[in-house]
Amino acid sequence: MIHVGDRLWLLTTPSSSYAVRLGDDDVPRCVHWGRPLTLDQARTLPAGREELPGEGGERFGVAGLQIRYADGVRGVDWRHLGHQVGEDGLVLRFADRHHPLEITLHYRVPPGGDAVERRTVLRNAGATPITVLRCDSAAWSVPARDDYRLSHVTGAWGAEFRLGRARVAPAETVLTSRRGHSGHHANPWLAVDAGDATEDAGEVWSTALAWSGSWRVTLERDQDDRVAWSGGFGHEGVTWRLGPGESLETPVFTGVYAPDGFGGASHRWHDHIRAHVLPDANRTRPVIYNSWEATGFDVTESQQMELAERAAELGVELFVVDDAWFGARTSDRAGLGDWWPNPERFPDGLKPLIDHVTGLGMRFGLWVEPESVNRDSDLYRAHPEWVLGQAHRRATEVRDQLLLDFSRPDVAEWAHAWLDDLVSGHDIAFLKWDMNRPFTEAGDDTWVPFVRNVYDVIDRLRAAHPDLLIEGCASGGGRADLGMLARTDQIWTSDNTDAAQRVAIQHGYGQIYPACTMGAWVTDSPNALTGRRTPVRFRFHVAMSGALGIGGDLRHWSGDDLREAALLVETYKRIRPIVHGGRMDRLGPCAVQYTRGDQVVVFVWRPSALEPATAPVRPRGLEPGAVYRDEDTGAIHHGAVLMSHGLPRPLPFDALSELTRLTRVG
Ligand code: GLA
């Protein structure tokens, strides 16, 4: 709902309002972001921080809009041109008073949604180029509080999405990726609270940027003890030359306000992403088998067929051959770019394997890394000029590979053509789209068009093959963001498949991203990366709380493990609609609940057997007066008792995990 007052605009969602007002100087400023207000209530508030602070005048904080005109003059002298309210939400139009720069601020509440989507468009309406040193999507500010706390995730390869909470320093805090993908170290998501929020109480203001390349969000606690942040694509130093008539469109920066704690913020993010970001959240995420950890670079047709047979026996629905099915890819040193079946490994092409897989009742998928190339490839030999690089600079190799310059239309066209051929020419239901190295030697005109072309290739592929499922990946969870999720079905969360470490990774991932997007495999014990031994049941219980896959070498699993695995896959299929479509509540760092209608699923994990016993886990949001049946024991429990005293079956002393399924029966 959008209300228009006298130079005041109010957007209202079920749990929040966002109000903007123009000052006498025509500068748009935030009046309110928080609990729902009426227009009359918003009118009584003074204007606060600028919606997109620039430079010049008495501006000494973070500049989200930095402009330099041909005459060397900087900044924007705002002049309001008008506004529109329509299907696309609220559009506020501005121009500089002297220079031919037009600025449009967009605000949108998706239909039925509980989030505000913001973005900015710049246009050079003049005849000479304008340099854009920075153009953020939006700036956000929260009402004055006694203190402020920042929640965000940090990490590295194999250790993504570690949740951190810290008092906001009286300084500028920069969350960024300079890697050309959204990154392992930070994720373009954050939350701010007054230091008093808990899982289910307190105000939380949270934002996420829909961009899969370099980005920067700068959070500032200023000398007046106020907190605001500005964010957008590109890191510092990435600039644009805006030619006459050209426009620059920023990605969407989405804000969610929750009056009911971190859990409430997560509920709204999950609902928003499922309803308004993902191409189709209702599509069933199949149980996947992926052969990477089992066979690495040593792929053969017969061995994949054997794995497929084992996988089918467990109830797997989709079989994926990961790396090393193509070109001369027998190690990470060769083959990227040559996207045809390796003739020695698949002498008759992929068809015999695909037929075998589909004959077993599964669908088939492949790993691809379209943005990369090895020097040792036919593609590189034919098109060395396609590599992302800069004159007189040595091309850095990471993981023995280079990047293709996807900002080039011919490169993007080539990628689209072979991907389309691959999917059209085979019975392929799934692609894992990987990107295993950051940008290096990239020029100003590369960072943004590269990502846009990646988006465009995926979008065209999806449009032509609407049933194709796509998993986003960048060395694990290095490219998990709302931009990627707008065109993929799930994300490969981390190459770390050690269930004990996954619990923390998933705890961070789930703060914003829903379980249906959280790719999670059960792999071997001992774990290939960490050497940890864990029971198969624990590994399953951790992976079953996301989008389940299996990635172990099933040829070496014991009969007992295979039998237990098949039962657990069966159970997973029963709870999948609840886990993927329900409301998620964290019941502590090692327990999570999913609730959909009358059905409740609770996972409890004990990542280390030496953890001291904890109090029973108490489910949330049950009907106090209702009764619930435990689907495994048949016992009946009262909602009020479960919420006060916890689950009836505490974790047995010798178990690392427990799954409880409850159904409301009266
Ligand atoms: C990346 C991915 C892995 C796997 C390998 C293949 O590291 O994250 O899951 O696909 O590439 O080379």
Side-chain angles (χ1 to χ4, degrees), residues 320-654:
V320 182
V321 181
D322 205 276
D323 202 341
W325 58 269
F326 53 91
R329 184 83 168 161
T330 53
S331 76
D332 57 8
R333 285 182 293 281
L336 282 174
D338 298 345
W339 298 104
W340 52 83
N342 178 305
E344 273 144 45
R345 297 177 166 194
F346 297 97
D348 302 310
L350 291 171
K351 192 166 183 316
L353 175 59
I354 296 179
D355 286 349
H356 194 69
V357 166
T358 52
L360 290 164
M362 298 181 291
R363 288 182 287 161
F364 183 77
L366 278 180
W367 177 92
V368 293
E369 191 177 344
E371 296 147 83
S372 289
V373 64
N374 286 115
R375 269 189 215 277
D376 185 1
S377 67
D378 289 356
L379 181 75
Y380 182 80
R381 285 181 280 273
H383 287 292
E385 78 284 5
W386 279 8
V387 165
L388 185 61
Q390 291 204 289
H392 314 300
R393 291 285 176 266
R394 187 175 52 87
T396 305
E397 289 192 25
V398 181
R399 206 198 190 201
D400 290 302
Q401 68 201 53
L402 301 161
L403 275 185
L404 294 171
D405 184 353
F406 242 69
S407 70
R408 289 174 61 126
D410 52 354
V411 170
E413 209 39 64
W414 161 85
H416 176 262
W418 73 257
L419 282 159
D420 191 57
D421 280 355
L422 184 69
V423 176
S424 308
H426 299 90
D427 193 357
I428 290 177
F430 177 99
L431 291 178
K432 175 175 170 184
W433 182 301
D434 206 343
M435 197 264 202
N436 275 311
R437 56 149 296 165
F439 288 22
T440 55
E441 297 84 40
D444 270 0
D445 45 359
T446 313
W447 297 89
V448 166
F450 185 115
V451 178
R452 290 236 165 90
N453 281 350
V454 169
Y455 285 171
D456 186 58
V457 170
I458 302 178
D459 291 346
R460 286 167 66 195
L461 209 55
R462 285 196 84 103
H465 307 278
D467 293 333
L468 184 69
L469 290 156
I470 301 182
E471 179 174 62
C473 174
S475 306
R479 196 155 62 177
D481 53 74
L482 301 190
M484 215 53 196
L485 284 174
R487 40 193 52 83
T488 57
D489 301 281
Q490 60 191 61
I491 298 290
W492 177 228
T493 315
S494 176
D495 280 339
N496 186 344
T497 59
D498 176 342
Q501 297 196 349
R502 269 284 176 139
V503 170
I505 293 173
Q506 297 183 174
H507 183 76
Y509 183 92
Q511 298 290 320
I512 160 164
Y513 306 116
C516 64
T517 69
M518 186 172 74
W521 304 342
V522 175
T523 55
D524 295 335
S525 175
N527 183 269
L529 205 64
T530 65
R532 190 194 311 266
R533 289 176 191 276
T534 48
V536 72
R537 192 175 171 76
F538 173 58
R539 280 175 270 147
F540 263 93
H541 281 167
V542 172
M544 285 162 76
S545 68
L548 175 69
I550 297 175
D553 191 345
L554 297 175
R555 296 169 301 178
H556 303 304
W557 282 27
S558 71
D560 280 354
D561 278 0
L562 288 169
R563 270 186 294 281
E564 185 156 20
L567 290 174
L568 287 160
V569 170
E570 207 179 297
T571 306
Y572 169 75
K573 288 179 183 168
R574 251 180 265 136
I575 63 170
R576 175 167 49 189
I578 309 161
V579 173
H580 290 188
R583 185 190 73 225
M584 188 205 78
D585 288 292
R586 289 177 291 270
L587 307 179
C590 295
V592 67
Q593 170 186 345
Y594 299 91
T595 310
R596 188 172 191 179
D598 291 340
Q599 293 182 295
V600 180
V601 168
V602 180
F603 292 97
V604 181
W605 307 292
R606 180 159 49 201
S608 158
L610 294 177
E611 292 285 315
T614 50
V617 163
R618 286 178 292 131
R620 290 170 197 259
L622 304 183
E623 279 292 324
V627 285
Y628 293 82
R629 184 180 62 224
D630 184 317
E631 290 298 338
D632 293 292
T633 65
I636 297 293
H637 304 283
H638 293 273
V641 174
L642 288 170
M643 289 194 289
S644 297
H645 295 278
L647 289 176
R649 287 184 287 131
L651 210 54
F653 171 71
D654 56 349

Side-chain angles (χ1 to χ4, degrees), residues 59-350:
R59 293 183 180 91
F60 306 109
V62 175
L65 184 60
Q66 293 178 277
I67 303 292
R68 192 170 56 214
Y69 306 100
D71 58 4
V73 170
R74 297 174 72 125
V76 174
D77 193 354
W78 294 77
R79 181 163 65 93
H80 180 55
L81 297 181
H83 78 268
Q84 282 135 26
V85 175
E87 274 206 352
D88 249 7
L90 168 67
V91 178
L92 299 180
R93 292 191 301 109
F94 302 88
D96 185 83
R97 285 185 194 276
H98 176 75
H99 292 92
L101 177 72
E102 293 172 0
I103 307 152
T104 317
L105 305 183
H106 293 255
Y107 301 79
R108 177 174 175 264
V109 176
D114 206 356
V116 178
E117 296 181 330
R118 296 178 54 194
R119 65 193 172 92
T120 297
V121 180
L122 297 184
R123 185 170 169 272
N124 180 352
T128 44
I130 295 174
T131 304
V132 180
L133 301 168
R134 175 116 204 121
C135 180
D136 276 345
S137 298
W140 303 87
S141 49
V142 300
R145 294 290 183 265
D146 288 338
D147 203 357
Y148 308 91
R149 178 170 55 171
L150 169 67
S151 301
H152 65 120
V153 290
T154 56
W157 175 78
E160 297 88 336
F161 306 111
R162 301 305 173 114
L163 179 66
R165 294 214 156 102
R167 187 168 180 259
V168 178
E172 290 175 13
T173 304
V174 178
L175 307 181
T176 189
S177 162
R178 304 186 181 96
R179 292 171 181 266
H181 57 51
S182 38
H184 297 80
H185 181 229
N187 192 267
W189 161 82
L190 65 79
V192 168
D193 74 296
D196 56 0
T198 62
E199 271 301 295
D200 50 16
E203 293 185 291
V204 176
W205 294 264
S206 178
T207 60
L209 184 71
W211 187 245
S212 313
S214 282
W215 56 276
R216 190 183 76 181
V217 175
T218 310
L219 180 90
E220 167 185 43
R221 182 168 183 164
D222 67 13
Q223 61 180 18
D224 302 320
D225 207 34
R226 297 294 298 269
V227 163
W229 60 100
S230 183
F233 56 9
H235 52 276
E236 74 287 350
V238 173
T239 62
W240 293 267
R241 181 184 168 279
L242 209 56
E246 284 177 359
S247 295
L248 179 67
E249 291 214 18
T250 71
V252 167
F253 203 6
T254 305
V256 161
Y257 166 79
D260 45 5
F262 299 118
S266 295
H267 296 157
R268 287 174 185 80
W269 278 120
H270 296 170
D271 289 347
H272 172 73
I273 292 169
R274 287 186 294 209
H276 307 292
V277 177
L278 287 169
D280 186 357
N282 294 323
R283 265 214 250 183
T284 301
R285 272 58 181 167
V287 179
I288 287 169
Y289 178 85
N290 179 300
S291 59
W292 171 244
E293 281 202 24
T295 54
F297 290 103
D298 297 321
V299 171
T300 69
E301 185 187 75
S302 60
Q303 151 235 62
Q304 295 295 311
M305 285 182 173
E306 193 185 340
L307 284 168
E309 286 157 25
R310 295 291 166 94
E313 283 165 15
L314 296 187
V316 166
E317 296 160 322
L318 194 145
F319 182 87
V320 182
V321 181
D322 205 276
D323 202 341
W325 58 269
F326 53 91
R329 184 83 168 161
T330 53
S331 76
D332 57 8
R333 285 182 293 281
L336 282 174
D338 298 345
W339 298 104
W340 52 83
N342 178 305
E344 273 144 45
R345 297 177 166 194
F346 297 97
D348 302 310
L350 291 171

